[in-house]
Amino acid sequence: MNHTSRLTQAVIDLDALVKNYQYIDNLARDSNTIAVIKADGYGHDASKVARALSTQVKLFAVGFIDEALALRSDGIDNTVLILEGPFKESDFEIAIENNFSLMLHSDYQIKWLSAMNPEFSGDVWLKVDTGMNRLGFHVDQIDNIMSQLTDKQRNKLVLCSHFSTAEQINSTKPVEQLAKLKQLVSQYGCKFSMANSAGILNWPNSHGDHTRLGLALYGISPVAENPLSQPLIPVMTLQADIIAIHTVKVGEYVGYGDTWQAQRETKLATVAIGYADGYPRNAKSGTPVFINGQIAPLVGRVSMDMITVDITDLNDIFIGNTVELWGKNISIDIVAQNSDTINYELLTRVSKRVPKVIAG
Ligand SMILES: *Cc1c(COP(=O)(O)O)cnc(C)c1O
């Protein structure tokens, strides 16, 4: 869609992105900070994010090869780490041609690796399962896996694992997980990577050689109870325009299912965004939006293309005013809490019909 008559947009603040990166990178000073830009850069447009960071980031990470190839077609030439490794044997060839590093987590991938002739020249990272039980080799498999790598591959090897509860500052699980990984790291004398955003912020001992920065890069803190020395800046502002204003009488219902009833004469604004744009259908009446410096509550059900908000108590609101659904004034966490989900899901669900527009 090139014609934009509708002004519903996700505005992306790349200066904020760069500031967040520099701030977190500085917190984990002795390790390399990988920028995780899977899922289209957490919904921010991976190529735009990568371009803004490409001079300071050594390594980007995505989930799978297709995401990395999309970066290459957009002219991003930094090394890319593939977090789920190869899905097909031919992915190894693609990785060599394109300078992708592969995170290997299962025996079938090691078999493909061993079958390569000449040997795979890219960097190999091994995923160790230290207790999340999602992906990775069990600790006691590592010896056997090591024996299947070539000397070159072993010399450059990075051992990785992933926290399951890093955002819980009182949890003992991260300590146990880190200890398991560090035991292997000292045994084999290789590099390691453990920390995601919450790991970086809550568990400094986990920084290691490479951190994997996702959520916090986009200006959202995963560690609500750990105040940061400098606030992160939300990178995405999801916004839409008011396209209609109505006044309804006491007792009138609003929206599908008649879930909200006016308790007083109510002035309503209809805003051009709905669940087809990624605004959650689950959002309850009362979820805040921001208009002209004021807060208004969502009322009634979220429709496919529209929402209605109560502007009775607001001043000077007109058709064509811009409404912020989340961003610098409305925390995405509040919207997530009001719709039984998490910030990660809201960010990555902003749909294709919402243009990602660079701020400024
Ligand atoms: C997505 C992902 C990250 C980034 O996690 P955040 O919580 O967003 O910082 C790190 N490591 C792996 C393996 C991931 O899949």
Side-chain angles (χ1 to χ4, degrees), residues 34 36-38 42 61-63 83-84 103 127 134-135 160-163 167 193-200 211-218 222 344:
I34 302 173
V36 181
I37 56 171
K38 64 191 181 196
Y42 288 45
V62 297
L83 293 169
E84 293 168 68
M103 180 101 83
K127 182 78 171 262
R134 183 180 64 176
L135 213 56
C160 297
S161 193
H162 196 55
F163 286 128
E167 65 291 339
S193 172
M194 182 84 205
N196 59 349
S197 295
I200 299 170
T211 60
R212 305 188 303 271
L213 172 63
L215 189 72
L217 174 63
Y218 306 99
Y344 292 83

Coordinates of all heavy atoms in Angstrom, one line a residue, residues 34 36-38 42 61-63 83-84 103 127 134-135 160-163 167 193-200 211-218 222 344, ligand 1:
I34 N 24.6 -8.1 21.2 CA 24.0 -8.5 19.9 C 22.6 -7.8 19.9 O 21.9 -7.8 20.9 CB 23.8 -10.0 19.9 CG1 25.1 -10.7 20.0 CG2 23.0 -10.4 18.6 CD1 25.0 -12.2 20.1
V36 N 18.9 -8.1 18.8 CA 18.0 -9.1 18.4 C 16.9 -8.5 17.6 O 16.1 -7.6 18.2 CB 17.4 -10.0 19.6 CG1 16.5 -11.0 19.1 CG2 18.6 -10.6 20.4
I37 N 16.8 -8.8 16.3 CA 15.8 -8.1 15.5 C 14.9 -9.1 14.7 O 14.4 -8.9 13.6 CB 16.5 -7.2 14.5 CG1 17.5 -7.9 13.6 CG2 17.2 -6.0 15.2 CD1 18.1 -7.0 12.5
K38 N 14.7 -10.3 15.4 CA 13.7 -11.3 14.8 C 12.3 -10.7 14.8 O 12.1 -9.6 15.4 CB 13.8 -12.5 15.7 CG 13.3 -12.3 17.1 CD 13.6 -13.5 18.0 CE 13.1 -13.2 19.4 NZ 13.6 -14.2 20.4
Y42 N 10.9 -7.0 16.2 CA 9.8 -6.9 17.2 C 8.8 -5.9 16.7 O 8.2 -5.1 17.4 CB 10.4 -6.4 18.6 CG 11.2 -7.4 19.3 CD1 12.2 -8.2 18.7 CD2 11.0 -7.6 20.7 CE1 12.9 -9.1 19.4 CE2 11.8 -8.5 21.4 CZ 12.7 -9.3 20.8 OH 13.5 -10.2 21.5
A61 N 20.8 -10.7 15.5 CA 20.3 -12.0 15.6 C 18.8 -12.0 15.1 O 18.1 -11.1 15.4 CB 20.3 -12.5 17.1
V62 N 18.5 -13.1 14.4 CA 17.1 -13.3 14.0 C 16.8 -14.8 14.3 O 17.6 -15.6 14.7 CB 16.9 -13.0 12.5 CG1 17.2 -11.6 12.2 CG2 17.8 -13.9 11.6
G63 N 15.5 -15.2 14.1 CA 15.1 -16.5 14.4 C 15.6 -17.6 13.4 O 16.1 -18.6 13.7
L83 N 19.2 -17.8 15.4 CA 19.0 -18.3 16.7 C 18.4 -19.7 16.7 O 18.7 -20.5 17.7 CB 18.1 -17.4 17.5 CG 18.7 -16.0 17.9 CD1 17.6 -15.1 18.4 CD2 19.8 -16.1 18.9
E84 N 17.6 -20.1 15.7 CA 17.1 -21.4 15.7 C 17.9 -22.4 14.8 O 17.5 -23.5 14.6 CB 15.6 -21.4 15.3 CG 14.7 -20.8 16.3 CD 13.3 -20.5 15.8 OE1 12.6 -21.4 15.5 OE2 13.0 -19.3 15.6
M103 N 23.3 -21.0 15.3 CA 23.2 -21.6 16.6 C 22.6 -23.0 16.4 O 21.5 -23.2 15.9 CB 22.2 -20.7 17.4 CG 21.9 -21.2 18.8 SD 22.8 -20.3 20.0 CE 21.8 -18.9 20.2
K127 N 23.7 -24.4 21.4 CA 22.7 -24.0 22.4 C 22.6 -25.2 23.5 O 22.5 -26.3 23.1 CB 21.3 -23.9 21.7 CG 20.2 -23.5 22.6 CD 20.2 -22.0 22.9 CE 18.9 -21.5 23.6 NZ 18.0 -20.9 22.7
R134 N 13.3 -26.0 26.2 CA 12.6 -25.7 24.9 C 13.5 -26.1 23.8 O 13.2 -26.8 22.8 CB 12.3 -24.2 24.9 CG 11.6 -23.7 23.7 CD 11.3 -22.2 23.7 NE 12.5 -21.4 23.7 CZ 12.5 -20.1 23.7 NH1 11.4 -19.4 23.6 NH2 13.6 -19.4 23.7
L135 N 14.8 -25.6 23.9 CA 15.7 -25.8 22.8 C 17.1 -26.0 23.4 O 17.5 -25.4 24.4 CB 15.8 -24.6 21.9 CG 16.0 -24.7 20.4 CD1 15.0 -25.6 19.8 CD2 15.9 -23.3 19.8
C160 N 25.8 -21.3 24.4 CA 24.7 -20.4 24.7 C 23.7 -21.1 25.5 O 23.5 -22.3 25.4 CB 24.0 -19.9 23.5 SG 25.0 -19.0 22.4
S161 N 23.0 -20.3 26.3 CA 21.7 -20.8 26.9 C 20.8 -19.7 27.1 O 21.1 -18.5 26.8 CB 22.1 -21.5 28.2 OG 20.9 -22.3 28.6
H162 N 19.6 -20.0 27.6 CA 18.5 -19.0 27.6 C 17.8 -19.1 29.0 O 17.5 -20.2 29.4 CB 17.5 -19.2 26.5 CG 16.6 -18.0 26.2 ND1 17.1 -16.8 25.9 CD2 15.3 -18.0 26.1 CE1 16.1 -16.0 25.7 NE2 15.0 -16.7 25.8
F163 N 17.7 -17.9 29.6 CA 17.0 -17.9 30.9 C 15.5 -18.1 30.7 O 14.9 -17.6 29.8 CB 17.1 -16.5 31.6 CG 18.5 -16.3 32.2 CD1 19.2 -15.1 31.8 CD2 19.1 -17.1 33.1 CE1 20.4 -14.8 32.4 CE2 20.3 -16.8 33.7 CZ 21.0 -15.7 33.3
E167 N 13.4 -12.2 34.4 CA 12.8 -11.0 34.8 C 12.4 -11.0 36.3 O 12.1 -10.0 36.9 CB 11.6 -10.6 33.9 CG 10.4 -11.6 33.9 CD 10.7 -12.9 33.3 OE1 11.7 -13.1 32.5 OE2 10.0 -13.9 33.6
S193 N 27.3 -17.0 25.9 CA 26.3 -16.0 25.8 C 25.0 -16.6 26.5 O 24.6 -17.7 26.2 CB 25.9 -15.8 24.3 OG 24.8 -14.9 24.2
M194 N 24.6 -15.8 27.5 CA 23.4 -16.2 28.3 C 22.3 -15.2 28.3 O 21.1 -15.6 28.3 CB 23.9 -16.5 29.7 CG 22.9 -17.0 30.7 SD 22.7 -18.8 30.5 CE 21.0 -19.1 31.1
A195 N 22.6 -13.9 28.4 CA 21.7 -12.9 28.8 C 20.8 -12.4 27.7 O 21.3 -11.9 26.7 CB 22.4 -11.8 29.5
N196 N 19.5 -12.4 27.9 CA 18.6 -11.6 27.1 C 18.4 -10.3 27.8 O 19.2 -10.0 28.8 CB 17.2 -12.3 27.0 CG 16.6 -12.6 28.3 OD1 17.2 -12.4 29.4 ND2 15.3 -13.1 28.3
S197 N 17.4 -9.4 27.5 CA 17.3 -8.1 28.1 C 17.2 -8.2 29.6 O 18.0 -7.5 30.3 CB 16.1 -7.4 27.6 OG 16.2 -7.1 26.2
A198 N 16.3 -9.1 30.1 CA 16.2 -9.2 31.6 C 17.4 -9.7 32.2 O 17.8 -9.3 33.3 CB 15.0 -10.0 31.9
G199 N 18.1 -10.6 31.5 CA 19.4 -11.1 32.0 C 20.5 -10.0 32.2 O 21.2 -9.9 33.2
I200 N 20.5 -9.1 31.2 CA 21.5 -8.0 31.2 C 21.2 -7.1 32.4 O 22.1 -6.7 33.1 CB 21.4 -7.2 29.9 CG1 21.7 -8.0 28.6 CG2 22.3 -6.0 29.9 CD1 21.4 -7.3 27.3
T211 N 26.0 -10.5 24.9 CA 24.6 -10.5 25.4 C 23.6 -10.4 24.2 O 24.0 -10.1 23.1 CB 24.3 -9.2 26.2 OG1 24.6 -8.1 25.4 CG2 25.3 -9.2 27.5
R212 N 22.4 -10.8 24.4 CA 21.4 -10.8 23.3 C 20.3 -9.9 23.7 O 19.3 -10.3 24.4 CB 20.9 -12.3 23.1 CG 22.1 -13.3 22.8 CD 21.6 -14.6 22.4 NE 20.6 -15.3 23.4 CZ 21.0 -16.0 24.4 NH1 22.3 -16.3 24.6 NH2 20.1 -16.6 25.2
L213 N 20.4 -8.7 23.2 CA 19.4 -7.6 23.6 C 18.2 -7.6 22.6 O 18.4 -7.2 21.4 CB 20.2 -6.3 23.5 CG 19.4 -5.0 23.7 CD1 18.8 -4.9 25.0 CD2 20.4 -3.8 23.5
G214 N 17.1 -7.8 23.2 CA 15.8 -7.7 22.4 C 15.0 -6.6 22.9 O 15.2 -5.4 22.6
L215 N 14.0 -7.0 23.7 CA 13.0 -6.0 24.2 C 13.5 -4.7 24.6 O 12.9 -3.6 24.2 CB 12.2 -6.7 25.3 CG 10.9 -5.9 25.7 CD1 9.8 -6.0 24.7 CD2 10.4 -6.3 27.1
A216 N 14.5 -4.6 25.4 CA 14.9 -3.3 26.0 C 15.5 -2.4 24.9 O 15.4 -1.2 25.0 CB 16.0 -3.5 27.1
L217 N 16.0 -3.0 23.8 CA 16.4 -2.2 22.7 C 15.3 -1.3 22.2 O 15.5 -0.2 21.7 CB 16.9 -3.1 21.6 CG 17.3 -2.6 20.2 CD1 18.5 -1.6 20.3 CD2 17.6 -3.7 19.3
Y218 N 14.1 -1.8 22.2 CA 12.9 -1.1 21.7 C 12.3 -0.2 22.8 O 11.2 0.4 22.6 CB 11.9 -2.1 21.2 CG 12.6 -3.0 20.1 CD1 13.0 -4.3 20.5 CD2 12.8 -2.6 18.9 CE1 13.7 -5.1 19.6 CE2 13.5 -3.4 17.9 CZ 13.9 -4.6 18.3 OH 14.6 -5.4 17.4
P222 N 11.9 -5.0 30.7 CA 11.3 -6.3 31.1 C 11.4 -6.4 32.6 O 10.9 -7.4 33.2 CB 12.2 -7.3 30.5 CG 13.5 -6.7 30.3 CD 13.3 -5.2 30.2
Y344 N 5.6 -7.9 24.4 CA 6.3 -8.6 23.2 C 5.2 -8.9 22.2 O 5.4 -8.8 21.0 CB 6.9 -9.9 23.6 CG 8.1 -9.9 24.5 CD1 8.0 -9.8 25.9 CD2 9.4 -10.0 24.0 CE1 9.1 -9.8 26.7 CE2 10.5 -10.1 24.8 CZ 10.4 -10.0 26.2 OH 11.5 -10.0 27.0
Ligands
LIG1 C1 14.3 -13.4 21.4 C2 15.6 -13.9 22.1 C3 16.4 -13.1 22.8 C4 16.0 -11.6 23.2 O1 15.2 -11.7 24.3 P1 14.6 -10.3 25.0 O2 13.9 -10.8 26.2 O3 13.7 -9.7 24.0 O4 15.8 -9.4 25.3 C5 17.5 -13.6 23.3 N1 17.9 -14.9 23.1 C6 17.1 -15.7 22.4 C7 17.6 -17.1 22.1 C8 15.9 -15.3 21.8 O5 15.2 -16.1 21.1

